[in-house]
Amino acid sequence: MTDHHKPSLAVFDLDNTLADTAHRQHFLDRSPRDWSGFFAAAPQDPPVAEGVALARESALTCEVLYLTGRPERCRRDTLGWLAEHGLPEGRLLMRRNDDRRPARRTKLETLRRLARDREIRMLVDDDELVCDDAERAGFTVVRARWAARSAALRDAQDGEGRT
């Protein structure tokens, strides 16, 4: 049952929704992929203006929550990046370090859990498979198509469960 006394949630992905990963996608073009290098470079991500503006606007009427496929070991860097770029305060939900399930499964599972007692006003994400599944489940989705995505990142999100 939804708690109508709490503000609705606006749920934001990070990579290529709020943070531009283009400068570090080259770590995923090698074989094997260099995940340590990919995540170590995340603090240098430039913000994506459209996503940041939407997060700030959403914070006026909703509680902002960040839902990312980044592993838990990236928490400190991620919180630092959010603060450095003036994003609204909000809970940060991350993938367990050993969780390799596809983002479309982990994120939908989390959305359903959150929706048990909170209204989810919207999910903002760049991953088309996550967006498709969330829409099919009845969630309102804003597709973050404002940053360039690489095929390697897309494969990593769906096939390797890494981000």
Side-chain angles (χ1 to χ4, degrees):
M1 178 140 212
T2 304
D3 185 344
H4 295 288
H5 300 292
K6 294 182 180 178
S8 300
L9 293 173
V11 180
F12 284 82
D13 173 48
L14 292 174
D15 292 337
N16 288 331
T17 298
L18 299 173
D20 186 347
T21 66
H23 74 101
R24 58 186 170 108
Q25 289 181 6
H26 65 92
F27 289 108
L28 304 182
D29 292 333
R30 358 184 132 141
S31 184
R33 291 183 161 101
D34 180 0
W35 289 105
S36 294
F38 180 76
F39 289 121
Q44 286 75 49
D45 288 353
V48 178
E50 295 91 340
V52 171
L54 184 56
R56 289 177 180 154
E57 178 184 325
S58 297
L60 299 174
T61 58
C62 295
E63 178 184 329
V64 172
L65 183 141
Y66 302 101
L67 176 60
T68 181
R70 290 181 186 184
E72 184 64 41
R73 69 180 178 273
C74 299
R75 179 171 291 278
R76 182 180 300 157
D77 284 346
T78 302
L79 289 171
W81 186 92
L82 290 166
E84 177 184 342
H85 295 288
L87 278 119
E89 288 189 21
R91 286 184 290 161
L92 172 62
L93 302 181
M94 305 183 84
R95 179 190 298 272
R96 287 187 335 264
N97 289 328
D98 63 347
D99 188 348
R100 298 288 188 266
R101 294 174 297 152
R104 63 193 294 190
R105 284 190 52 215
T106 60
K107 288 186 176 184
L108 189 58
E109 187 178 278
T110 300
L111 288 170
R112 284 182 170 141
R113 188 179 72 247
L114 292 167
R116 285 185 208 142
D117 65 353
R118 297 289 289 279
E119 177 196 2
I120 298 179
R121 177 86 44 91
M122 69 178 142
L123 166 68
V124 184
D125 204 301
D126 70 306
D127 185 325
E128 294 292 335
L129 296 174
V130 169
C131 293
D132 290 346
D133 284 358
E135 283 180 338
R136 276 194 289 275
F139 294 100
T140 299
V141 173
V142 175
R143 293 174 186 261
R145 293 181 172 143
W146 39 72
R149 293 182 62 225
S150 74
L153 182 59
R154 184 184 61 245
D155 293 345
Q157 286 175 318
D158 189 49
E160 296 181 36
R162 295 288 191 137
T163 184

